[in-house]
Amino acid sequence: MEYETLILGAGAAGMMCAAHAGPGVLVVDHARAPGEKIRISGGGRCNFTNLEVRPERFLSQNPHFCKSALARYTQWDFIDLVSRHGIAWHEKTLGQLFCDGKATQIVAMLLREMQAAGAELRLSAEARDIGHDGSRFTAVIRHDGRDQPVRARSLVLATGGKSIPKMGASGYAYDLAAQFGLALVPPRPGLVPLTFPEGRFAALAGVSLPVRASAAEAVFDEAMLFTHRGLSGPSILQASSYWQEGAPVTVNLLPGGRLGQILRDKRRREGKRALTTELAEHLPQRLVAWLAGETDLGGRLGDLSDRRIDALCATLEGWELRPAGTEGWRTAEVTLGGVATAALSSRSMEAAAVPGLYVIGEAVDVTGWLGGYNFQWAWSSGVAAGRAIAERLREA
């Protein structure tokens, strides 16, 4: 079978590319249903983009690479697409946009867009023996128990990264990219809970509070959750993408910055009040009890010196922690690293050394913040490749 374009992966990026790549598109995926990560995202409501998308909220060895695709297909373009399909949505927090209904509405929208473009979709299918015969890319598609040889002018790698392996995620895109000589940035788990040795926070499992979490140069003001294995919650997931093994993470348990003044004021007015009683007004009680076993929180407010207040504030507002590691691919929401951007055109996502080969979405060394940024990268990079392929077809 001859096709113009063979897209490997029916996820967010692959389906978006198929809707824009012109005629003669075949999309192949091993899953039984398309867009599985879309379906489970956002608690089943799909956090499909963010109002605050901008390049500095994406990680890559080349922080400028994402600018072109994000500028040419923006969050506003995708919002317009969602609205044209009659999908109701709302803003939750920090610019995060969710469907009012189910995430499957986004999957159905993309399938309609693909159908309108004439793209063919094969699920529960496997692409084998990928190669190039000198004029076109070649593959053998295993589907319904039969092998079918396929040739295509363009090949798009949209199989994602290694995060969430229970859904079939693997390093397949990296293997194919390496086969064609493209360099890789070593993949590692991103947006992932941090672990600590010996169940350090097991007694606090389930406790959540707003914090300011910092790793390297990045700072995030969101919730933190204690778990049996360590720390999670949005602030920690965000910081994890910047954290390097052996480095500390700093947590400000009271990011409002007013504890020192509050303690000084109450020292005069309520001197007999226990320090732990006062701290429980600002922090979860279980956390205060735990901290009392880690540092001196004894005594009454009236007994506090200015020096002790300053030391206590420094401890609670600059709690330095050294994680043992992360929970790994099993719970990571995204993949950091991937196909090196130096090998790709930022305008078209095409490999400079392999004409007709495109890499999009999570497979590329571009990773966004938590909150819809990674879906926007999927939409933008998918459209960039799709439009480039369609333009080449028109010129042929």
Side-chain angles (χ1 to χ4, degrees):
M1 292 289 291
E2 297 282 336
Y3 290 90
E4 292 297 337
T5 305
L6 173 60
I7 299 176
L8 303 182
M15 288 193 286
M16 199 67 171
C17 181
H20 291 82
V25 173
L26 173 63
V27 182
V28 175
D29 200 298
H30 63 83
R32 289 178 293 179
E36 283 294 87
K37 278 194 177 181
I38 299 173
R39 181 183 62 81
I40 69 167
S41 69
R45 293 185 183 274
C46 187
N47 179 194
F48 57 81
T49 192
N50 195 293
L51 296 176
E52 302 299 327
V53 168
R54 44 185 182 267
E56 59 267 28
R57 297 189 172 184
F58 292 81
L59 291 81
S60 173
Q61 282 198 349
N62 177 2
H64 300 290
F65 180 84
C66 65
K67 292 180 178 179
S68 177
L70 291 174
R72 288 183 295 113
Y73 190 86
T74 70
Q75 64 269 41
W76 309 111
D77 293 313
F78 193 77
I79 291 168
D80 179 64
L81 177 64
V82 169
S83 297
R84 283 192 282 112
H85 280 261
I87 300 173
W89 54 270
H90 62 277
E91 179 183 356
K92 200 168 183 181
T93 58
L94 302 174
Q96 301 170 18
L97 301 190
F98 291 78
C99 298
D100 287 356
K102 294 183 178 180
T104 50
Q105 292 177 288
I106 299 295
V107 178
M109 175 192 76
L110 294 171
L111 289 173
R112 288 193 295 271
E113 290 287 306
M114 287 174 57
Q115 184 178 24
E120 181 180 340
L121 173 63
R122 292 192 195 174
L123 300 170
S124 299
E126 182 182 359
R128 302 175 178 175
D129 302 327
I130 308 295
H132 197 281
D133 64 8
S135 61
R136 291 200 168 208
F137 292 93
T138 59
V140 175
I141 308 301
R142 180 78 171 175
H143 185 244
D144 287 340
R146 293 179 296 177
D147 288 339
Q148 181 181 35
V150 167
R151 299 174 76 243
R153 189 190 307 269
S154 299
L155 174 66
V156 182
L157 307 185
T159 57
K162 299 176 70 174
S163 60
I164 319 183
K166 67 181 180 181
M167 298 186 65
S170 69
Y172 186 50
Y174 311 140
D175 295 339
L176 289 178
Q179 174 185 322
F180 286 105
L182 306 189
L184 297 176
V185 176
R188 61 187 179 91
L191 297 179
V192 62
L194 300 175
T195 59
F196 290 79
E198 301 173 359
R200 181 176 181 188
F201 302 120
L204 292 171
V207 172
S208 177
L209 71 160
V211 303
R212 177 171 296 152
S214 309
E217 74 280 11
V219 181
F220 298 97
D221 287 311
E222 294 187 70
M224 179 178 77
L225 172 69
F226 290 94
T227 73
H228 287 283
R229 291 177 292 274
L231 298 176
S232 187
S235 66
I236 296 300
L237 298 183
Q238 297 275 42
S240 75
S241 293
Y242 293 84
W243 177 75
Q244 296 290 334
E245 187 173 353
V249 171
T250 302
V251 176
N252 183 343
L253 294 171
L254 293 159
R258 298 186 60 250
L259 179 63
Q261 188 58 51
I262 290 172
L263 293 178
R264 286 178 171 84
D265 291 344
K266 291 200 172 182
R267 180 176 57 183
R268 294 192 304 270
R269 295 185 285 107
E270 302 179 47
K272 294 182 179 181
R273 185 178 178 89
L275 174 58
T276 52
T277 302
E278 177 60 31
L279 289 177
E281 296 288 331
H282 309 282
L283 296 169
Q285 192 167 356
R286 281 173 60 193
L287 177 57
V288 173
W290 187 90
L291 288 169
E294 297 283 312
T295 189
D296 180 16
L297 298 182
R300 300 177 301 178
L301 297 183
D303 299 326
L304 297 177
S305 66
D306 284 344
R307 178 176 294 180
R308 188 177 172 200
I309 289 175
D310 291 341
L312 176 62
C313 290
T315 297
L316 298 180
E317 295 173 1
W319 193 18
E320 188 171 283
L321 301 166
R322 290 189 181 272
T326 75
E327 290 192 7
W329 297 115
R330 181 180 63 84
T331 56
E333 296 198 16
V334 295
T335 301
L336 294 159
V339 176
T341 58
L344 306 174
S345 162
S346 62
R347 181 184 179 279
S348 67
M349 311 303 296
E350 185 178 19
V354 189
L357 177 64
Y358 300 79
V359 189
I360 59 176
E362 192 179 351
V364 182
D365 174 33
V366 174
T367 305
W369 283 11
L370 183 71
Y373 293 90
N374 289 291
F375 273 132
Q376 185 59 47
W377 172 245
W379 317 137
S380 297
S381 61
V383 169
R387 287 175 174 171
I389 292 168
E391 182 179 348
R392 176 169 291 177
L393 289 176
R394 288 192 296 268
E395 294 173 351

